[in-house]
Amino acid sequence: MPRGKSSSGGSLFYRRKHSWRRDELVSRSTLHLLDFDDGTPPEHAWRRKLSSHANRLKEFNVTFREAFKMMKLGLRLWSYVREEASQGRKAPIDPFTRESTKPSASQGVPLGGMGTGSISRGFRGEFKHWQITPGSCDMSPVMENQFSIFITREGGTKKYSSVLAPGQHDGLKKSSDDGISSWDWKLRGDRSTYHALFPRAWTVYDGEPDPELKLSCRQISPFIPHNYEESSLPVSVFVYTLVNTGKERAKVSLVMTWANSIGGLSHQSGGHVNEPFIGENGISGVLLHHKTANNNPPVTFAVAARENQNVDVTVLPIFGLSGESSVTAKEMWGTMVQGGCFDRDNFNAGPSMPSSVGDTVCAAVSASTWVEPHGRCTVVFSLAWSSPKVKFKKGSTYHRRYTKFYGTSPRSAINLAQDALMKYKHWEEEIDKWQTPILRDERFPEWYKITLFNELYFLVAGGTVWIDSDLSSSLPEDSDLPLHNSTCNSTVPLIGSSPPDFDDKENVGKFLYLEGVEYFMWCTYDVHFYASFALLDLFPKIELSIQRDFARAVLREDRTRVRFLADGTWGTRKVIGAVPHDLGAHDPWHELNAYNIHDTSRWKDLNPKFVLQVYRDFAATDDMSFGRDVWPAVCTAMEYIEQFDRDGDCMIENDGFPDQTYDAWTVLGVSAYCGCLWLAALQAAAAMARSLGHDDYADRCMVKFAKAKHVFEAKLWNGSYFNYDSGTSYSSHSIQADQLAGQWYTASSGLPPLFDEDRIKCTLQKIFDYNVMRVKGGRIGAVNGMHPNGKVDETCMQSREIWTGVTYSLAATMLLHGMEDQAFTTAQGIFLAGWSEEGYGYWFQTPEAWTIDGHYRSLIYMRPLAIWAMQHALSPPRAILEAPKVNTMERAYVSPGALQFLQDSVRKITPKSGCF
């Protein structure tokens, strides 16, 4: 069926429901008035009133039966968490330690580029969720960080002042104190609205606090696809558009206040210094030099504004929160109410004395202007943070990517702030070029367009680290240098040898992102399998760089003994040939496999997922150099996984424990999930081999494929779907939502289908009818497991969960097979439950999973980036569209003799001579 058409004839993407029309929240007259200098919010955006209640989020609970089954694991995990804490380290998985601030439905678009150390900003204006230091995440807002407005009408008869955020926040005390509670928190928020379309956000104040002043704040960060320089910058811009609808001139002063803090109680650690600066092109502000605790690298913030003939910029370099401060927050506020600016002599103040332990020091930058009756004006601020070094707990230190362009001085924050104020319009032009074709595509539902872009928040707020490629000074002192080069003639490294070279053939540095803020592991590969479509589409060189990292890791071994917590056994940290679960935690790239619940060298999905991702990326980029470089690792990964074909029938078997990404869901024998991945990997390896000239290897893969496919279908196909596994457990006949993951990748890579199209569509329809529509009418996504009697599979925690990323990938598979109606209904469930106003409140913090009653597990998670797999299906890469149709079976006639040969020797297929 052609894409974009329904079985009933017309355009299938008819669900163009306007979820939040602008003029339902903002008056048309205000939109018209703000419609200059991009001050008006876009037609398509996620929207909320600032007065909206930010309800507390509800976390999942395990059942008594689940808790009993996991009791020994829990005790071992608790002991391991304590052991890591005694060494000053965070355990990769720690369900016992809880943030003091409970998660709430208050998130918004985060600040800055990728890998810079992130700061999020809630939709009501609070700066929160601090991740400047790798692995450290403080969710609580720093309430001193605010924008405020002071308005005096000509003649002085009308005055207004208010923080530009609602005052219903914890931590605000009596207004009689000397701190921020003394400020005017007058904004109600019922006439102010937030509009988000990542990487930008608009806040419109429609007559608050001055009924005759319309105000728009536009937040811009340099997230620009295919731009590997500016997308790495730690900076954001705030553009204020002012419209005076009154009859008198109005003096308007906007103030940005900022605490010398990186979240939590860091402002009280002492030794912090503030310093005013005057830069170029009328740009001035304050530097806040932050001395971090625990020997972490220092951070310098730059808060700046741009002066011109209409705008005056003044600063207050330092103020405090108590009466002991030379200038208090209360006095700062009084100065602005009275005069609307600070003393210009403050620019000559020089650096302040280092702060004392327990004190909080802040700074303020004011930009003042006169707005004529019915006049308009623009005021622009920028925030930059210079944290040039990234230090991991086990000692390795690197320079962030942006230092390649701005140097390693903390004072580079000034240049970052200046360039942002000079270049933000160009950034917006590039963002518009990227987003406009999708936003204007009438085939797509509005909710899809909005959510597609907003789910990208994770590439900034998901604990990302992006480092410079010049790493020679970053390796530990006792580290030897490279083992090998990834060429077709390379040899397997010696056992116990040191980490591989940090080559940077893509010339984009090295990139890490966490599995989730609660699961502290870098580039978790079984999850990257779903999320990687976003990087492939937007930053393909980063995607290839990550694949190169894993290709090198396949050829490494680390004989360090590790205790696996699920069963208490001991084993090897990293086995040659096994794709690692992750790139590590406290010493990434060097110490792999931070995950230690199970021995992932025995997992059955990681190696096929590596082969499938490599081939998809190879096909999408048409990069022959990449293909040749990673080919030895592909061969090794394929050979390694063959050991799990226990009976010589060419099909791998699971071993009766959760040996897959569903690491609480036991699977035995031939399984739909891992078996389908294996079939797809055989075909992908054959296709890649043919492209690289290894025809003999391709033939052997396809002979195996034919035999394995017969076994897979004979053991699992039941007439309407593939059984969960070939065992006899309660789950064995369950309908797994993710059972066609291998076919998803096959179709995404332009390869022939693994099964007859009728069987694929029959399976997808079964999943849609049962896993999607029989759970809350299809309004919360696809449940992982469903019994054929229509009851949710409650075998374990994961079988009864809805996984957001899996739901998106399922929808992508449906799109690839012409089932667009079912696809968008399926994916819309995640939008309705997670992003809509009637949902559970998971916007900009999409979790890994939620239960049927909406309780989350693991907020801010990597896998939901799989929504970009839907876009990949709707708009495939040109290289895949234009590639000749692959016929992987063209040279693989399977004779009876060949099958007998396979039964005798399949355990060790030797790749074409010269591959190792």
Side-chain angles (χ1 to χ4, degrees):
M1 183 184 296
R3 282 199 183 100
K5 298 292 181 181
S6 70
S7 56
S8 59
S11 174
L12 186 59
F13 305 116
Y14 57 83
R15 288 190 192 82
R16 296 197 293 272
K17 175 187 174 184
H18 294 279
S19 307
W20 305 282
R21 288 178 53 182
R22 287 178 300 182
D23 54 13
E24 291 178 357
L25 295 180
V26 185
S27 67
R28 293 188 179 184
S29 60
T30 298
L31 291 171
H32 177 72
L33 290 168
L34 293 172
D35 192 17
F36 81 101
D37 196 24
D38 292 321
T40 188
E43 179 183 355
H44 304 291
W46 180 91
R47 311 185 201 276
R48 284 293 181 277
K49 285 189 175 183
L50 268 60
S51 58
S52 297
H53 178 62
N55 57 291
R56 301 289 187 193
L57 304 181
K58 297 179 180 179
E59 192 169 10
F60 83 107
N61 291 306
V62 296
T63 65
F64 176 80
R65 184 180 66 173
E66 291 164 352
F68 182 78
K69 289 173 65 176
M70 294 190 291
M71 185 180 300
K72 292 182 179 179
L73 165 61
L75 291 172
R76 296 186 194 104
L77 182 57
W78 180 76
S79 176
Y80 175 70
V81 168
R82 291 190 60 186
E83 178 185 341
E84 287 294 284
S86 70
Q87 301 296 319
R89 297 191 296 263
K90 177 180 179 179
I93 300 175
D94 178 6
F96 310 106
T97 306
R98 286 288 178 264
E99 285 275 348
S100 57
T101 302
K102 298 294 184 182
S104 65
S106 59
Q107 292 289 82
V109 174
L111 308 179
M114 298 191 300
T116 66
S118 68
I119 307 165
S120 290
R121 194 175 183 216
F123 73 85
R124 297 186 299 186
E126 65 272 30
F127 293 87
K128 58 193 298 184
H129 218 276
W130 299 75
Q131 296 187 86
I132 303 295
T133 302
S136 174
C137 178
D138 194 288
M139 299 171 62
S140 58
V142 175
M143 293 305 295
E144 294 80 8
N145 298 351
Q146 298 290 345
F147 284 100
S148 302
I149 192 167
F150 304 83
I151 306 161
T152 302
R153 291 285 171 177
E154 195 167 46
T157 56
K158 299 178 183 177
K159 283 193 172 186
Y160 306 90
S161 59
S162 180
V163 179
L164 289 175
Q168 62 264 34
H169 288 280
D170 297 337
L172 293 179
K173 304 175 184 177
K174 295 180 181 179
S175 60
S176 59
D177 71 10
D178 291 312
I180 64 172
S181 299
S182 65
W183 297 353
D184 296 328
W185 298 83
K186 297 177 179 177
L187 198 79
R188 293 172 55 189
D190 57 333
R191 298 182 62 185
S192 300
T193 51
Y194 181 82
H195 312 254
L197 190 68
F198 180 89
R200 292 182 289 181
W202 291 254
T203 305
V204 176
Y205 306 89
D206 193 357
E208 286 192 283
D210 182 348
E212 296 180 323
L213 185 73
K214 310 298 183 183
L215 183 68
S216 169
C217 173
R218 186 165 83 259
Q219 173 188 313
I220 308 156
S221 294
F223 183 97
I224 305 168
H226 307 283
N227 184 324
Y228 298 90
E229 177 178 340
E230 290 169 307
S231 296
S232 73
L233 303 184
V235 67
S236 284
V237 175
F238 305 89
V239 182
Y240 279 87
T241 302
L242 315 174
V243 181
N244 181 6
T245 63
K247 296 179 181 180
E248 308 100 351
R249 294 176 74 210
K251 183 179 180 181
V252 181
S253 298
L254 289 158
V255 175
M256 184 176 184
T257 51
W258 200 258
N260 199 323
S261 170
I262 58 171
L265 300 176
S266 61
H267 53 286
Q268 298 180 359
S269 59
H272 312 314
V273 174
N274 291 2
E275 174 188 3
F277 72 88
I278 298 177
E280 301 174 352
N281 300 305
I283 296 166
S284 54
V286 180
L287 290 176
L288 297 89
H289 304 285
H290 185 84
K291 182 181 179 182
T292 57
N294 302 320
N295 294 318
N296 284 313
V299 182
T300 295
F301 293 96
V303 180
R306 188 179 184 190
E307 191 168 81
N308 57 39
Q309 61 183 3
N310 298 317
V311 179
D312 294 322
V313 176
T314 56
V315 301
L316 181 62
I318 187 167
F319 68 88
L321 304 183
S322 67
E324 300 174 359
S325 306
S326 57
V327 179
T328 66
K330 185 175 184 178
E331 291 168 337
M332 181 280 296
W333 194 265
T335 298
M336 289 303 303
V337 169
Q338 183 175 356
C341 64
F342 300 116
D343 191 333
R344 293 198 70 86
D345 287 343
N346 289 343
F347 282 114
N348 301 320
S352 67
M353 294 295 292
S355 64
S356 300
V357 174
D359 287 348
T360 300
V361 291
C362 309
V365 176
S366 167
S368 304
T369 185
W370 283 94
V371 188
E372 299 296 324
H374 307 290
R376 301 172 178 180
C377 186
T378 299
V379 176
V380 191
F381 293 86
S382 66
L383 171 70
W385 52 100
S386 177
S387 178
K389 291 184 179 180
V390 179
K391 181 180 179 182
F392 293 99
K393 287 292 185 181
K394 290 193 175 180
S396 294
T397 303
Y398 310 100
H399 286 126
R400 293 191 192 268
R401 169 74 173 171
Y402 81 89
T403 63
K404 184 179 183 72
F405 316 107
Y406 283 84
T408 59
S409 169
R411 299 186 69 83
S412 64
I414 295 176
N415 294 330
L416 285 161
Q418 288 182 161
D419 285 356
L421 289 170
M422 300 300 293
K423 296 180 178 180
Y424 74 88
K425 289 187 177 180
H426 171 69
W427 295 348
E428 289 194 283
E429 290 173 0
E430 295 301 307
I431 292 169
D432 284 336
K433 288 180 185 177
W434 159 45
Q435 293 185 335
T436 299
I438 294 174
L439 295 174
R440 289 183 177 174
D441 195 324
E442 288 297 318
R443 298 176 303 155
F444 305 154
E446 184 181 27
W447 66 262
Y448 169 76
K449 301 173 187 178
I450 296 167
T451 313
L452 179 72
F453 292 115
N454 283 337
E455 288 284 18
L456 291 171
Y457 84 92
F458 187 84
L459 290 176
V460 172
T464 54
V465 171
W466 194 355
I467 63 173
D468 187 15
S469 56
D470 183 11
L471 305 173
S472 58
S473 62
S474 305
L475 296 175
E477 292 181 0
D478 59 349
S479 171
D480 296 327
L481 281 174
L483 309 171
H484 57 77
N485 294 314
S486 294
T487 65
C488 201
N489 295 318
S490 62
T491 57
V492 174
L494 297 174
I495 293 174
S497 53
S498 58
D501 193 6
F502 282 92
D503 62 22
D504 182 16
K505 292 192 176 182
E506 307 303 332
N507 194 31
V508 293
K510 293 291 178 186
F511 187 84
L512 297 169
Y513 65 147
L514 290 176
E515 178 178 338
V517 295
E518 297 177 31
Y519 293 164
F520 179 54
M521 294 163 280
W522 299 109
C523 296
T524 299
Y525 201 71
D526 56 306
V527 185
H528 181 69
F529 177 74
Y530 298 83
S532 56
F533 283 87
L535 287 174
L536 176 63
D537 190 83
L538 305 175
F539 297 95
K541 290 184 178 180
I542 289 179
E543 167 61 12
L544 296 186
S545 174
I546 292 173
Q547 298 300 352
R548 288 180 184 275
D549 289 341
F550 277 91
R552 284 189 293 272
V554 168
L555 304 178
R556 282 186 53 202
E557 181 169 44
D558 180 348
R559 282 189 168 181
T560 304
R561 301 294 287 172
V562 174
R563 191 185 192 197
F564 301 112
L565 303 180
D567 57 9
T569 60
W570 290 80
T572 302
R573 176 178 291 278
K574 171 66 178 69
V575 178
I576 289 177
V579 173
H581 173 273
D582 53 78
L583 291 178
H586 298 297
D587 196 8
W589 298 294
H590 298 275
E591 185 178 86
L592 307 174
N593 281 335
Y595 178 90
N596 61 347
I597 303 297
H598 298 288
D599 180 358
T600 59
S601 69
R602 296 176 59 201
W603 277 19
K604 312 307 183 294
D605 63 337
L606 287 169
N607 282 43
K609 285 177 175 176
F610 171 71
V611 176
L612 289 171
Q613 287 184 73
V614 163
Y615 180 74
R616 178 206 57 189
D617 296 350
F618 174 65
T621 62
D622 199 24
D623 188 332
M624 294 299 292
S625 174
F626 167 76
R628 287 190 292 268
D629 288 348
V630 300
W631 177 242
V634 170
C635 295
T636 306
M638 290 294 289
E639 184 175 12
Y640 179 88
I641 197 68
E642 288 173 17
Q643 67 182 292
F644 301 114
D645 172 15
R646 308 295 190 188
D647 53 8
D649 63 358
C650 299
M651 173 52 66
I652 62 171
E653 289 89 26
N654 293 83
D655 284 332
F657 74 102
D659 47 357
Q660 53 178 346
T661 193
Y662 298 89
D663 59 352
W665 197 356
T666 297
V667 58
L668 176 65
V670 178
S671 71
Y673 184 69
C674 295
C676 189
L677 290 171
W678 170 239
L679 289 176
L682 284 168
Q683 184 171 243
M688 190 168 183
R690 293 208 193 284
S691 297
L692 297 174
H694 303 296
D695 289 339
D696 291 346
Y697 185 80
D699 291 345
R700 285 193 286 270
C701 282
M702 290 314 298
V703 169
K704 283 180 61 65
F705 170 84
K707 178 76 180 294
K709 175 182 175 180
H710 173 75
V711 172
F712 181 86
E713 293 188 303
K715 290 192 174 184
L716 299 181
W717 180 250
N718 62 23
S720 58
Y721 65 95
F722 295 98
N723 290 334
Y724 177 68
D725 66 23
S726 61
T728 58
S729 73
Y730 187 57
S731 278
S732 291
H733 291 279
S734 286
I735 309 163
Q736 185 182 12
D738 212 5
Q739 61 185 275
L740 289 179
Q743 175 55 34
W744 165 42
Y745 255 73
T746 294
S748 297
S749 304
L751 292 172
L754 301 178
F755 316 108
D756 291 342
E757 188 68 16
D758 289 345
R759 285 195 174 183
I760 295 171
K761 286 189 173 183
C762 180
T763 300
L764 291 172
Q765 188 64 47
K766 188 76 171 185
I767 296 169
F768 178 76
D769 291 341
Y770 280 70
N771 301 59
V772 178
M773 297 308 296
R774 293 203 180 193
V775 182
K776 297 290 179 84
R779 296 180 61 84
I780 61 171
V783 70
N784 283 336
M786 177 69 78
H787 290 300
N789 63 3
K791 293 183 178 180
V792 172
D793 185 341
E794 296 188 350
T795 302
C796 67
M797 171 184 72
Q798 292 174 342
S799 65
R800 62 182 171 90
E801 288 179 328
I802 291 93
W803 283 14
T804 53
V806 168
T807 299
Y808 285 141
S809 69
L810 171 62
T813 312
M814 292 171 173
L815 287 172
L816 289 162
H817 292 280
M819 300 173 66
E820 292 90 349
D821 195 2
Q822 296 92 328
F824 280 102
T825 299
T826 297
Q828 190 179 26
I830 302 302
F831 163 78
L832 292 172
W835 289 84
S836 74
E837 198 154 16
E838 297 76 28
Y840 302 121
Y842 297 131
W843 44 82
F844 300 102
Q845 52 189 332
T846 314
E848 156 75 318
W850 51 63
T851 56
I852 292 175
D853 55 5
H855 294 193
Y856 75 87
R857 179 170 64 82
S858 186
L859 293 172
I860 310 183
Y861 197 79
M862 180 197 295
R863 205 182 317 248
L865 284 171
I867 192 173
W868 280 85
M870 296 178 66
Q871 190 61 23
H872 182 98
L874 292 163
S875 301
R878 180 178 299 176
I880 289 178
L881 282 175
E882 297 178 354
K885 293 299 180 183
V886 177
N887 184 0
T888 48
M889 291 295 292
E890 64 183 357
R891 297 180 49 156
Y893 167 68
V894 188
S895 66
L899 290 179
Q900 183 60 48
F901 165 77
L902 282 167
Q903 289 178 324
D904 295 338
S905 61
V906 71
R907 294 294 295 277
K908 291 293 180 182
I909 288 186
T910 303
K912 184 175 179 178
S913 177
C915 190
F916 291 94

